[in-house]
Amino acid sequence: MEGLDYRWVQALDAVVSQRGFERAAEVLCITQSAVSQRIKQLEKHMAQPLLVREQPPRPTPAGQKLLGLYRRVRLLEQELLPDIRPGEQSQPLQMSIASNADSLATWLLPALSPLLKQRRIEINLMLEDESRTLDRLRSGEVVGAISMEATPMPGCVADYLGRMDYLCVASPDFQATYFSDGVNRDTLMGAPAVAFDQYDDMHEVFIQQHFNLPRGSVLTHRVRSSEAFVKLALHGVAYCLIPKVQIEEELASGALVNLTPGIMLTRRIYWHHWALESGVFSEVTAQLLDHARHKLPQ
């Protein structure tokens, strides 16, 4: 980071991550005035605003890029310094990953577990809709992100992980109540469904594509949990699109039934990460790719 005072960028990072100047000053053990002065010096050096001073403060696009670089440098520093100074007690390597809920509920934790047992890693899993996980990588908040986007950002690599095949399922009682005449445009209009959040359009895409239902025409609960999707379906509250790999036992036992045999929604997912990786970061990538390619359909 030639030409930059490391403390300036550290102050910007603290204000953004701590969501305010007061807490940033406490973390950095300096006054709020000193925090503000460092950020002003940084903005003067960069000749542009880097922080939107609202509540909570947020970085400008230029500030996001600077924070992304700063956080990657810090991660590399964490990994490198213990090798240079082996006599010192090494701190756990902090690693943040952005994941969609379905990956977290199925294959991601088993993929990471062996490495978490072997290495001193402090993992931070940030949960987002798969269409928004790249925003976390773009802002520098994470070192990698699971996304449906195949095209990598500049300086990044997008490795193909596999397919997530979604089935439209419900409990037998729910099927008898709402779909006794079969799944069609009319019966779908009266049946409650589930989506992850306001950005999740997977369900609407599915019913629009296969049943010509316009967006917003179906009663839809919003729950930010893949496990809750399964429970809502099992309790007969709603029908849901759930990854097949997540409900194989429930399908085999008859606790859930596939409402649309022969019709499913497929999403291809990718592991996005910075191109320049070494040490533990490259091990994480290797572990994720190996496990996903054995667990997920290709």
Side-chain angles (χ1 to χ4, degrees):
M1 300 174 65
E2 183 180 354
L4 290 176
D5 188 320
Y6 205 79
R7 295 172 301 172
W8 299 346
V9 194
Q10 183 187 40
L12 178 66
D13 179 62
V15 169
V16 172
S17 61
Q18 298 300 322
R19 300 172 65 83
F21 283 81
E22 182 178 357
R23 180 60 182 154
E26 293 175 4
V27 168
L28 297 176
C29 299
I30 58 177
T31 65
Q32 289 188 53
S33 177
V35 173
S36 181
Q37 186 61 32
R38 289 182 183 184
I39 293 176
K40 287 179 181 178
Q41 288 174 310
L42 179 60
E43 290 178 322
K44 182 178 179 181
H45 182 85
M46 300 298 293
Q48 60 184 302
L50 300 172
L51 188 69
V52 179
R53 289 161 174 80
E54 57 184 27
Q55 189 56 42
R58 57 182 175 85
T60 65
Q64 281 191 335
K65 292 179 181 178
L66 193 58
L67 286 177
L69 175 61
Y70 170 74
R71 290 166 180 170
R72 295 201 302 278
V73 169
R74 289 297 304 276
L75 286 168
L76 291 171
E77 185 182 85
Q78 278 186 285
E79 188 173 20
L80 177 64
L81 290 183
D83 291 335
I84 296 176
R85 297 182 293 194
E88 295 188 5
Q89 178 66 37
S90 62
Q91 295 296 314
L93 182 64
Q94 297 176 343
M95 185 177 300
S96 296
I97 293 172
S99 171
N100 62 320
D102 295 332
S103 291
L104 183 60
T106 53
W107 65 272
L108 181 58
L109 289 180
L112 290 172
S113 293
L115 201 58
L116 294 177
K117 292 177 182 178
Q118 298 165 10
R119 307 295 292 268
R120 282 174 56 80
I121 301 174
E122 190 175 87
I123 199 77
N124 177 25
L125 291 171
M126 296 186 176
L127 200 62
E128 287 285 0
D129 179 74
E130 55 268 11
S131 65
R132 294 169 57 83
T133 51
L134 285 187
D135 292 341
R136 297 282 192 170
L137 183 61
R138 190 174 291 110
S139 69
E141 295 175 86
V142 299
V143 297
I146 296 167
S147 172
M148 297 179 301
E149 176 59 54
T151 304
M153 299 185 307
C156 291
V157 174
D159 291 313
Y160 177 61
L161 291 167
R163 296 194 334 256
M164 294 285 276
D165 294 331
Y166 291 81
L167 302 182
C168 186
V169 300
S171 69
D173 287 344
F174 188 96
Q175 182 185 36
T177 300
Y178 291 96
F179 299 118
S180 58
D181 293 330
V183 179
N184 54 55
R185 196 175 190 275
D186 292 333
T187 55
L188 284 169
M189 290 281 285
V194 183
F196 183 73
D197 60 17
Q198 69 269 33
Y199 304 107
D200 178 17
D201 65 350
M202 184 183 299
H203 181 83
E204 290 189 328
V205 168
F206 179 79
I207 60 175
Q208 184 178 48
Q209 180 179 352
H210 296 289
F211 300 96
N212 196 31
L213 275 169
R215 291 172 181 257
S217 60
V218 173
L219 187 158
T220 304
H221 303 297
R222 304 198 183 278
V223 184
R224 292 177 61 89
S225 166
S226 289
E227 292 85 355
F229 270 46
V230 177
K231 289 182 179 180
L232 287 171
L234 288 171
H235 289 306
V237 174
Y239 72 104
C240 321
L241 284 168
I242 302 176
K244 182 181 178 181
V245 68
Q246 188 176 353
I247 52 171
E248 290 174 343
E249 291 183 6
E250 289 82 358
L251 290 171
S253 68
L256 292 177
V257 293
N258 185 356
L259 297 173
T260 57
I263 301 176
M264 65 180 179
L265 187 148
T266 293
R267 295 286 176 91
R268 300 184 183 276
I269 57 174
Y270 300 81
W271 168 240
H272 290 252
H273 57 98
W274 297 104
L276 296 177
E277 282 188 328
S278 63
V280 175
F281 303 112
S282 59
E283 290 181 46
V284 168
T285 291
Q287 194 79 16
L288 293 182
L289 295 181
D290 180 69
H291 188 87
R293 288 169 181 172
H294 282 87
K295 183 69 174 178
L296 301 177
Q298 297 298 304

